[in-house]
Amino acid sequence: MALYLSDDQAMLKDTVAPFLAENAPVKHLRTLRDGKDAAGLSRDLWKQFAELGFTGILVPEADGGLGLGHVEAGIVLEEIGRNLTPSPFLTTAVAAVDALKAGGADLRAQWFPRILAGDAIIALAIDEGAKHRPASTAMAAERSGNGFKLSGKKQFVLNGHIADMLLVSARTGGSAGEEAGITLFAVPRTAVGISVDVDRLVDSSLSARVTFDGVQVDADAVVGEIDAGWGPLTRLLDAGRLGASAEMLGVGGGAMDMTFGYLKQRKQFGRLIGEFQSLQHRAAHLYGEMEGARSIVIKAQHLLDDGDPRAELFVAAAKAKTGKSCNLAVREGVQMHGGIGMTDEYDIGLYMKRDRALNEFFGDSYFHADRVARMNGY
């Protein structure tokens, strides 16, 4: 199993990196944030993602996509993280696409072409509490006519205020805390009975609290099997968790490169501060931690692409490891930049805020370290 990029993957990186650096660098985030942009992202940029083929990376060739894998999707996500680019790529082109592969022909025909064209944004309505606990789903889906009636609340729904469709986990059986009895639904955001309140998160992204008040959907809205939605939900979550890990590689890597550059420029007591041994040791430790995170992310990407039964374990390990490593990168960045690291005018603080949000999305390091321990029998 290669822990480096193939020639084709390197070509993709050579396309993505300059495109985002030119069209959506950190300044792009600042412009959206300072202008209090109501959408929180650029739909024109999303269309450009589609024109370059990025939105079709994980869509099967039979459905008009490129039929590539999570290694390739991770290349795009790492550059998104490096540039702090606001984008629905993680939720729409990665997590939602992987879930919709388990959907019926009508759902695939309805949504894959719109994703490929950059005309659709899909949000994930999974979490109901302050922390990521998907098995704790309590939202009810009661049988009604030829379909179901959904009632309950979701929160931390990224881009939920502008999404065209929500992927919603709801309980058709069992009780909160059980994996059995959960069903996954594809629900248009404009469906009657849906109301949305918007929150701005620490990294300036926009998240929604969504209330479902007797929302009627037909049976075709079910993704996968009734009462057995844990399967497609796990597929969605593994894709999202691994994608968030790849994005954190970019966030941590961007902060690390910025910090190392500063160590090579900033002078104190007549010397470059990077010449001081104490800072060199800290820099070397940080580099080693980030490389360790990169290795386990690539390993997990290959396992997920190969359908290996160990993929879920390695995805959890990757999210736990990148959460720790990226957090180290942004904290060391702020520390080594001294006082200017705390100013809004300097970008390193924005990397710290993005790390804080990404750590929470799809479960933080503690949540996934616990899963790794449980899956290993502890």
Side-chain angles (χ1 to χ4, degrees):
M1 179 178 295
L3 296 181
Y4 53 85
L5 301 181
S6 67
D7 290 343
D8 288 344
Q9 291 162 351
M11 287 177 60
L12 175 61
K13 184 177 178 65
D14 289 342
T15 300
V16 177
F19 168 73
L20 288 179
E22 180 178 351
N23 294 282
V26 179
K27 182 180 178 181
H28 177 71
L29 166 66
R30 287 186 178 277
T31 300
L32 292 171
R33 183 199 66 172
D34 297 344
K36 294 182 170 49
D37 187 274
L41 54 82
S42 167
R43 282 190 178 269
D44 289 341
L45 181 66
W46 187 230
K47 289 288 288 185
Q48 289 180 281
F49 270 54
E51 291 165 3
L52 290 169
F54 300 161
T55 60
I57 285 176
L58 286 174
V59 177
E61 289 184 279
D63 292 301
L66 298 178
L68 300 175
H70 291 277
V71 177
E72 288 79 7
I75 291 170
V76 178
L77 283 162
E78 184 171 347
E79 296 305 319
I80 286 174
R82 184 174 293 276
N83 292 281
L84 305 183
T85 305
S87 158
F89 185 83
L90 176 60
T91 56
T92 301
V94 177
V97 164
D98 250 24
L100 286 172
K101 290 175 183 175
D106 289 345
L107 275 179
R108 297 160 70 104
Q110 181 180 1
W111 290 104
F112 279 154
R114 297 182 64 185
I115 294 172
L116 289 169
D119 291 333
I121 291 175
I122 300 176
L124 313 174
I126 307 297
D127 292 320
E128 299 180 5
K131 303 294 284 187
H132 177 69
R133 299 289 183 271
S136 299
T137 296
M139 182 170 165
E142 300 176 340
R143 288 190 179 274
S144 174
N146 186 36
F148 295 86
K149 184 176 289 185
L150 277 58
S151 300
K153 296 183 178 181
K154 297 288 184 178
Q155 58 180 339
F156 299 117
V157 183
L158 288 178
N159 303 317
H161 62 304
I162 58 169
D164 300 283
M165 186 261 276
L166 305 172
L167 280 172
V168 186
S169 60
R171 193 161 287 284
T172 47
S175 56
E178 297 177 350
E179 296 176 358
I182 290 176
T183 301
L184 194 61
F185 295 91
V187 184
R189 183 184 56 83
T190 54
V192 176
I194 289 180
S195 58
V196 174
D197 295 302
V198 182
D199 298 311
R200 190 172 292 278
L201 303 183
V202 64
D203 64 339
S204 299
S205 61
L206 295 177
S207 169
R209 286 172 282 124
V210 185
T211 300
F212 297 78
D213 185 9
V215 177
Q216 184 73 43
V217 295
D218 59 32
D220 291 338
V222 174
V223 181
E225 302 293 329
I226 298 169
D227 286 344
W230 190 252
L233 179 59
T234 298
R235 189 169 182 162
L236 177 159
L237 292 175
D238 279 347
R241 289 160 175 167
L242 190 53
S245 300
E247 189 171 339
M248 279 194 286
L249 285 181
V251 174
M256 181 177 70
D257 291 347
M258 188 183 304
T259 303
F260 289 179
Y262 184 73
L263 295 181
K264 296 174 183 175
Q265 295 177 0
R266 170 68 173 167
K267 285 188 175 181
Q268 192 75 335
F269 309 115
R271 297 174 59 186
L272 293 171
I273 62 174
E275 295 176 351
F276 295 115
Q277 193 174 52
S278 61
L279 294 186
Q280 290 175 347
H281 286 176
R282 288 169 64 171
H285 172 65
L286 171 58
Y287 181 82
E289 290 297 307
M290 288 302 301
E291 285 300 295
R294 178 179 300 283
S295 296
I296 197 167
V297 168
I298 294 176
K299 173 81 172 179
Q301 288 169 338
H302 280 291
L303 292 176
L304 199 56
D305 286 338
D306 294 342
D308 192 295
R310 297 171 296 169
E312 187 174 0
L313 170 64
F314 276 81
V315 168
K319 187 68 165 66
K321 177 63 178 176
T322 52
K324 292 290 186 182
S325 300
C326 184
N327 186 256
L328 176 66
V330 298
R331 284 190 294 106
E332 287 288 58
V334 171
Q335 284 281 319
M336 294 190 199
H337 276 83
I340 64 171
M342 299 300 294
T343 61
D344 183 72
E345 291 78 3
Y346 213 72
D347 288 344
I348 192 69
L350 299 180
Y351 283 83
M352 174 171 271
K353 291 174 180 176
R354 184 60 182 156
D355 161 71
R356 190 70 190 89
L358 273 173
N359 249 310
E360 292 294 330
F361 297 156
F362 301 107
D364 61 17
S365 293
Y366 301 105
F367 175 80
H368 287 290
D370 181 72
R371 293 183 67 234
V372 169
R374 291 177 186 274
M375 282 188 271
N376 279 299
Y378 292 100

